[in-house]
Amino acid sequence: MTHRQAQAGGLVPRLEWRIRPDSEAGVLSQSTRSRIEGNARLIGSGGSATYAFRVLGGMDVGIRLTVSGSGQVRVRTQAGGLLARAIRGSGVQQLNLTTRVPLNPSVQSLQVIIEAARRGQVRVYSVEVVAADRDEDRDGIGDGVERLLGAPANALRPTIPAVPRSCYQTGADYAPRLDLATDAVILHSFDPARLANWKARGYPVFLMGGFRDYLPYVEANPHAVQRRKDGTPIGIDSSFYLTPTPERIEALVRQYLQMLDAGADAVCPEEPEYWADAGYEEAFRQLYEARLGVAWTPPDESHAARWRADRFKAQLMNEAVYAILNAARARKPGAKRMVAVHSPLNYALWRICLAHYALIFGENSPVEEVIGQVWSDTVRTPIPSDGDYRAEPFATAYLEYAALAGLMRDSGKRLWFLSDPLSDTPSRPLAEHQQFYFSTLVASLMFPEATGYEILPWPERIFGNVPADYATVILSAARACEAIAQQSGATLDAGVEGVGLLFSDSMTAVRGAPEIAPMEDLMTLGVALVNAGVPLTLHSLQRLMERPLPRGLRVLLWTPETVKPLREAELRALADWVQNGGWLFVVGGANGYDAVPETPWQQAGQPTPLHWLMQMLGRPLELETVPAEPAPSDAWRTLGVHGSEPAQGIFNRRWVDINLSPYAGQTVYIKFSDSLPDTGWGALLRQVRLEADGKTIAAFLTGSPAEPLFMHTNHKSRLNANGERFADYDAWFVYRFPLPTARSIVLRLELAQEWRLELSQQPPYKEHLAVPTRTDLPRISLRDDETITVYRVPNSEMFYTYQDAPVGVSVRAGRGGVVLLGVSGRAFGNTAGGARDWRTVMQYVCGLAGVRYRERARIVARRGDWVAAYGTYRTTILRGTYLDALDPRLPILNDPSLNPATPRLLLQVDNRLRNAGLLHTNAQVLLRHETSGQLAYLVRGPEGVNGVARLSLRGLRGQASLTDTLGNPLPLNAEREGNTLLVRWNLSPDGQVLTVR
């Protein structure tokens, strides 16, 4: 017997049976006076054979019998007979019968009864039955399936909205385990057959393609591969970044158009990326000279060459996206035109050239929707923070999403947010994956500017590879995203509001040699505030021309070394905002890019953007930069090197003893670095002991509370998962040891990998100290490559000095003012306690602006009944009753705690518990029918994942049942907990009916 469901998803079931005498098992329910003889079932005089089929009420049924002899066939259900037909004739004949199953009951047994006449016989060669559900309201769900919920057919409407709220990205063909039951799917493939298979399952398909390609294309077009100065290609694994030549763009356009013709509903080129390290490849040189009309110069030759090259790279990538989207608009005007990009902050940090504002809002931009790609790998980027160099997953995610939200706010273009439960390195510890995923997820849900969510990329690397409970939670988060997408606003419970941060398209044009502008300044300042519960807003400098800053914005941070204006109108808008009552807080100073002749301020005759702005405000400015002063190279003496051969891993871990006796009574600085920086396996230190005359006078483990007492300068070194400090590539760190007067002094170090040790009696950089003029402000110590900027503004009030020169000043302008602090922002991250010091300075500036500075131990965004929450520096309590959507059991919590560094996604259920109903589930709910005596839901989800639902039982007994869409019972587990019921089962993409009475 063959029995299959032919209709996609099983939501409009179509059943087919083909029965031969040798395949009757499970269908032949009764037989009298019959036997199999040859290739037929022989029914003797007065005998019969009954075939039974499970069908839904209201199904249309077609029956084809191949028989011979004399007798009759009857078709009936338990509701009564449907039809009868005589069998006559001496030869083999086919009988075709059609009927419809009665509407009630919702599940019935269809019987085909074949009877032989008295003194006759019938031979049955085959029985073929087709039963198809109707979908008279054309909602994609069969009328019989709707009746399984206890509702009349066509009385229910699917809960999926017309505009997609959720999607996910895959390059694989359709498979039940990859069917996550979202509103749409992103197909990262140019295979029309895969597109057809996803469309056949009812998904709107967004077509995605990148700008990298694989070896066949690269070998045929080596001139187009992005290359570093030494000629090495830039790529990931076996795919390589390419210059968007006209030929390359034409080939991409052909691929997109082919897929549009095959039925794609949207096109979405992703990651239009040109690396700052590239620009040496032949294709770029040719485009540079043809388009710019000047001879190509190496990007690292000068600041002007870097500015021109990297701005041109961003322009080329924008033009490539425009070409694809404009071709799509011409071929299929109704197809959505999307682009997927990382945040402006991440591209600047990773040194990738893209101009977000120009891409999305440039003249005649065809971009309609943007997917903001923030995920575990982007937020893993280390940031200087409180004397260490570490990932700050929540704060970084918050700032990245805030930048995208600020860019897109009130633009009329739609914004989607991405998060990722795994990462591009799936082998990392599960706890780390979860921490980074939950942090990015919760941060993404705090911004109502996003109305759609890409819930994850690459389900093929997630499901089947992560623990079952984690898979359950991932789908729970997806359903929460869908619910939150329907909430139009957000209410914040956080620290001081009205504080913002500027960013600009310029950030990715100043991140290459000869000077890599310090994007870390911006990130350090932002992270320290978010970690204290301050909900920063981010604002595009380019959008100031067309959209005034929000009325509630009172203080705006600007780091001008990376964030530079591209037009006069941007600074004019900023000056107008200050004149009308805003306070601009400038942290940092000038750099070599300010002298590039083709910048707008230089063309206006101003040495820096700051001079230009202050001129607009009628406040003349004098600026002087005090650069970092490194110790001379001969001040360092090599104490030891791990060896001459690579030592990758910890197999060479050992104690290294350094004799410091000659330096007794003096202060020494010990530097740890990477002896073979090209390999990336630098110094790995676990613990330190300092012994004098045989006694231990200092001992500490790396990462312990004692280490900051000895750490003088940390330049990009980090702690691994075991708390060991490592310095790879260009990273290094320096401990300071004041030595006693003793005969024997030994420094003992537990070291591994490729280390180099050096000693100096000078610090690595001359320490610069900014001294406050007020007792309520801290001293600011600069011990790394940070700079000091002296600011002189007439009639200003000084609040910091450096060697008696003003480095911190404030001056009023109109109803607002400008505060200038000539200290590199990263200085507050390079020093232990620096984040606290920065916030103290911020409190002072807020006071100048008339803003009451307030920190908060949490950031909580309420989106309807949903709560996205993050605990910052101490535990607080969230009053009320909540469901925990990030726990696989969806527990009900009373007054849950918000612990430091812990993201939570909660549903407030105080009101919902007053009535019976579904509180939350990780399944997609297609239909719901809730009455006083029964709750019924049509649900679906990916095969192989555990479904979970928690329901309020107010007035119900708590009896749960589950069937497939044919009414066949399925197993489930139900646990009553108070007045709620936890139900768990195995999900299916073909749909299931969950009923609770």
Side-chain angles (χ1 to χ4, degrees), residues 149 156-157 159 918 925-930 936-938:
L149 276 70
L156 306 178
R157 290 291 177 269
T159 58
L918 177 65
V925 179
L926 291 170
L927 293 176
R928 62 176 63 215
H929 184 53
E930 298 173 336
Y937 308 94
L938 177 61

Side-chain angles (χ1 to χ4, degrees), residues 247-258:
E247 297 78 16
R248 175 66 179 168
I249 294 173
E250 183 180 346
L252 288 173
V253 166
R254 284 197 301 270
Q255 290 179 306
Y256 280 96
L257 294 183
Q258 176 193 24

Side-chain angles (χ1 to χ4, degrees), residues 23 49 79 277 425 472 603 641 731 766 768 942 990:
S23 61
D277 283 344
T425 311
T472 297
Q603 294 176 358
V641 179
K766 178 182 177 181
H768 292 165
D990 291 328

Side-chain angles (χ1 to χ4, degrees), residues 134 634 774:
R134 291 188 178 187
D634 59 6
R774 301 168 53 94

Side-chain angles (χ1 to χ4, degrees), residues 710-726:
F710 300 91
M711 179 71 77
H712 182 272
T713 304
N714 177 17
H715 187 84
K716 300 183 181 179
S717 81
R718 302 170 62 187
L719 296 172
N720 64 19
N722 299 319
E724 300 163 323
R725 185 167 297 281
F726 64 94

